[in-house]
Amino acid sequence: MSFENLAVVTRGGIHTITIKRPSKLNALNRQTLQELYGAIIDASGDDKVRVIVITGSGDKAFVAGADIAEIREQSPTEARSFSQFGQNLMSMIQSLDKPVIAAINGYALGGGMELALACHLRVASSKARLGLPEIKLGIMPGFGGTQRLVRLVGSTLALELALSGEPISAERAHELGLLNQVVEPAQLEEAVKAFAAPLVKAAPEAVRGILQATLQGADINLEAGLALETARFALCCATEDMQEGTAAFLEKRAPEFKGR
Ligand code: COA
């Protein structure tokens, strides 16, 4: 699939999707959302892709939100389908069985923050600012922001961010547990690689099991979550990779996982 508003490249198992609308600070219009949907489907079905990285073009923004000019022109019915499409995209990202890392190179506002929240890991430049400014436009988050933020940081902070509309610094977001790491802008690519590279070499069944048990488990009761964990643990133990990983430990060597 070819894209107008995205650049995609796979190197060493790491598939980087760069959102490319720099003149609009990478705002998500319908076309970009649809392209992102297609890019994620492509990457999820490609065996060469082991980790997905999502970032923004230019040095100013990750994504400055959904496209405000488009929102303004929508009928209420179109707004409903826009919100549902955005939510479906974010849910698809969150439920992928490959790790997705947000490389937050600048503003992550509104839909940009919601996109980052749907990713599994978030690494940010110290210049980044994160927020849900929709209230200032007379609207509210519509791509899952009210649901994912409260689950990550609780209602006190989720409501502070959504009701004030004020963005917070990367440092504060890190303190709140919203980010895995904050680095100087020039170090962002290396920092993301440091998270991604071990995952490229990891046993895929273990990666899939950890993602599913952790994320689905968080939304179901403990008993059901524990049953899910047991099922995924047993699946890992049915793989050649489990034999290899445990043998490598006992033989004091590095494992070589084959994805079988
Ligand atoms: N939708 C559409 N266009 C957007 C946009 C968005 N979410 N965010 C930025 N842009 C456009 C601006 O309209 C401007 O376009 P123009 O040059 O054609 O006028 C361009 O991107 C640059 O933005 P600008 O506001 O001039 O940059 P800035 O450095 O002064 O401010 C921000 C940066 C991020 C603080 C500011 O752009 C902003 O507040 N954006 C909207 C954030 C938001 O409310 N997001 C939620 C949307 S639901």
Side-chain angles (χ1 to χ4, degrees):
M1 193 165 168
S2 66
F3 306 106
E4 202 175 305
N5 295 337
L6 304 179
V8 293
V9 60
T10 308
R11 236 178 253 124
I14 303 171
H15 187 73
T16 303
I17 300 173
T18 305
I19 298 167
K20 260 181 53 181
R21 285 187 85 209
S23 68
K24 297 292 176 194
L25 303 187
N26 305 319
L28 298 173
N29 60 1
R30 270 181 187 271
Q31 181 179 340
T32 309
L33 281 173
Q34 277 159 1
E35 290 188 5
L36 196 50
Y37 199 93
I40 297 289
I41 297 267
D42 286 354
S44 82
D46 183 343
D47 287 344
K48 293 187 296 299
V49 173
R50 304 293 291 274
V51 179
I52 298 168
V53 175
I54 301 179
T55 192
S57 62
D59 56 7
K60 205 164 162 185
F62 171 69
V63 167
D67 190 297
I68 297 168
E70 273 195 5
I71 290 175
R72 184 174 161 68
E73 298 302 322
Q74 287 175 345
S75 68
T77 309
E78 287 165 340
R80 178 187 295 272
S81 80
F82 184 68
S83 167
Q84 284 170 341
F85 188 84
Q87 285 183 354
N88 289 342
L89 170 62
M90 304 310 163
S91 294
M92 180 172 76
I93 290 171
Q94 187 168 29
S95 59
L96 277 186
D97 63 4
K98 301 178 187 194
V100 186
I101 305 175
I104 306 171
N105 54 311
Y107 287 113
L109 301 177
M113 178 155 182
E114 292 169 304
L115 174 60
L117 293 177
C119 294
H120 304 131
L121 297 167
R122 287 169 285 280
V123 184
S125 138
S126 54
K127 267 187 10 200
R129 292 178 69 72
L130 295 89
L132 294 173
E134 289 90 343
I135 193 167
K136 296 185 175 184
L137 303 167
I139 55 174
M140 61 176 284
F143 292 172
T146 61
Q147 303 307 300
R148 290 200 171 85
L149 191 57
V150 72
R151 284 165 170 75
L152 278 171
V153 297
S155 64
T156 306
L157 288 159
L159 287 174
E160 178 187 321
L161 286 179
L163 288 175
S164 74
E166 289 300 322
I168 56 172
S169 66
E171 279 72 15
R172 175 139 194 252
H174 187 230
E175 282 164 20
L176 296 177
L178 278 172
L179 298 174
N180 296 93
Q181 196 180 3
V182 179
V183 296
E184 288 306 307
Q187 311 303 320
L188 184 61
E189 206 177 318
E190 271 314 299
V192 169
K193 219 184 207 172
F195 277 95
L199 291 168
V200 169
K201 291 189 178 165
E205 192 52 48
V207 172
R208 286 194 284 271
I210 289 165
L211 289 173
Q212 195 200 30
T214 305
L215 293 169
Q216 285 187 18
D219 284 333
I220 54 183
N221 69 43
L222 181 63
E223 202 181 339
L226 291 172
L228 177 59
E229 182 185 78
T230 293
R232 297 301 313 214
F233 176 79
L235 260 184
C236 289
C237 292
T239 62
E240 284 178 30
D241 282 343
M242 178 281 259
Q243 296 293 338
E244 166 63 9
T246 51
F249 175 81
L250 297 172
E251 292 160 19
K252 301 188 190 305
R253 61 176 173 83
E256 268 195 54
F257 296 118
K258 300 234 165 43
R260 294 198 293 258

